[in-house]
Amino acid sequence: MNEVTVSSPATVSNVVCAFDVLGFAIAEPCDTFTLRKTSKKGVTIINRDNFNLPTEPEKNVAGVAILALLKEVKEESGFEIVSNKIIKPGSGIGSSAASAAGVVVAANHLLGNRFSKEQLVEFAMCGEVVASGSRHADNIAPCIYGGVTLIRSLNPLDIISIPAPELFVTVIHPQIEVKTSEARQILKRNVPLKDAITQWANVAALITGFMKSDYDLISRSLEDVIVEPVRSILIPAFDKLKIKSKEAGALGGGISGSGPSVFMLSKDLKTAKKVETAMKDVYSKTGVEFHTHVTTISQQGVHLKTK
Ligand code: HSE
């Protein structure tokens, strides 16, 4: 096999209270990457989308991830990447992770699946550093593993898949850009103990809520007293979005990753669509353009696309 095409899902990281340690894959939108194995060393990137991302491998998230993987490959080989991205960079739904994770999973297929999922996460994280200036796996891990994943530790890597009930996800993507690196820089370096206590109680309860399919507990735990108060000022009408989505029946939600996208979880499709209508109502009054998605948490991470 010399060529594969993969579908790489968008992801929601942080999941409100679990900054940098929790994320989940969503069924839509997904990026598509076609990889060809070449005997020529190195990486060639061909963009078939409209995002104008750099084609020099060292400056491209996917390129850097593949270069990290190639360092561990003994034989002379390289890859040609044809990129068909749909997930807009800087959207907050894991665009860079979809690129980095998608291409390393595809390359691994072409190399006879010699690397473990943990190794692929390590390679993909090198790409994530280019996008955000920091190593974090809360988009990469769910993108590769699917479902809800917890990253207990990065060094050594310790990733745990968390069982969760079927949940519907409404995402609003305001068409403004929030750079992850900047959204990280504005965070406070120190956290009062009382806030830390609230936060880790919520993280533990959220995981328990997922594992017990306890929707009320999930709803009560979707509270962030550390990151959201700082970052939400970057997102127009954030408080209103939350209030109106809850009134429409959402369990809760908040900033997706570092924003500007905002997500809400719902128990059923009908509610998720009502939440979408509520979000659209709020945003149509802001003058900011936006896109919405109604989707589900997806158990499928990056996977081969059959023609
Ligand atoms: N956990 C990261 C952050 C996700 O919030 O900065 C963004 O890629």
Side-chain angles (χ1 to χ4, degrees), residues 13-14 18-22 92 94 96-97 128 132 134 136-139 180-181 183-184 187 227 231 255-259:
S13 60
N14 298 337
F19 178 68
D20 269 4
V21 299
L22 197 64
S96 53
E128 191 72 298
S132 70
S134 85
H136 56 90
D138 52 336
N139 291 101
T180 299
S181 52
R184 292 181 81 83
L187 296 178
V227 176
R231 282 186 173 172
I255 306 171
S256 176
S258 56

Side-chain angles (χ1 to χ4, degrees), residues 86-245:
I86 289 185
I87 311 167
K88 196 173 174 193
S91 57
I93 50 172
S95 177
S96 53
S99 298
V103 297
V104 296
V105 171
N108 197 33
H109 275 289
L110 294 174
L111 294 167
N113 288 316
R114 65 179 76 170
F115 296 113
S116 67
K117 280 187 179 172
E118 283 85 357
Q119 285 173 298
L120 297 178
V121 170
E122 293 280 8
F123 301 142
M125 270 199 291
C126 299
E128 191 72 298
V129 173
V130 176
S132 70
S134 85
R135 263 168 67 82
H136 56 90
D138 52 336
N139 291 101
I140 299 277
C143 192
I144 290 180
Y145 286 64
V148 180
T149 60
L150 171 72
I151 298 95
R152 193 201 63 81
S153 151
L154 283 180
N155 195 13
L157 204 52
D158 191 357
I159 295 168
I160 303 117
S161 287
I162 307 293
E166 184 178 43
L167 280 165
F168 292 81
V169 188
T170 312
V171 178
I172 183 160
H173 174 197
Q175 300 295 292
I176 54 174
E177 196 186 351
V178 172
K179 285 210 162 68
T180 299
S181 52
E182 286 165 15
R184 292 181 81 83
Q185 268 164 21
I186 61 171
L187 296 178
K188 295 188 182 127
R189 298 292 135 201
N190 295 301
V191 173
L193 183 60
K194 100 174 166 7
D195 289 346
I197 293 168
T198 306
Q199 199 84 356
W200 59 56
N202 277 326
V203 175
L206 179 61
I207 303 281
T208 309
F210 282 141
M211 295 185 75
K212 290 172 79 172
S213 299
D214 182 337
Y215 294 102
D216 287 340
L217 185 56
I218 292 171
S219 178
R220 295 202 296 285
S221 316
L222 288 168
E223 177 198 33
D224 173 4
V225 295
I226 296 175
V227 176
E228 182 181 292
V230 182
R231 282 186 173 172
S232 55
I233 51 165
L234 303 174
I235 303 168
F238 177 78
D239 291 338
K240 195 124 207 219
L241 270 182
K242 257 178 92 170
I243 292 166
K244 293 292 173 191
S245 298

Side-chain angles (χ1 to χ4, degrees), residues 62-81:
V64 169
I66 286 288
L67 289 172
L69 174 144
L70 277 173
K71 267 197 202 152
E72 302 301 318
V73 173
K74 299 220 165 49
E75 66 266 25
E76 286 277 298
S77 62
F79 292 98
E80 181 186 281
I81 302 171

Side-chain angles (χ1 to χ4, degrees), residues 27-40:
E28 307 252 344
C30 288
D31 285 344
T32 302
F33 300 97
T34 298
L35 262 77
R36 281 182 208 106
K37 196 163 167 241
T38 58
S39 47
K40 192 177 115 224

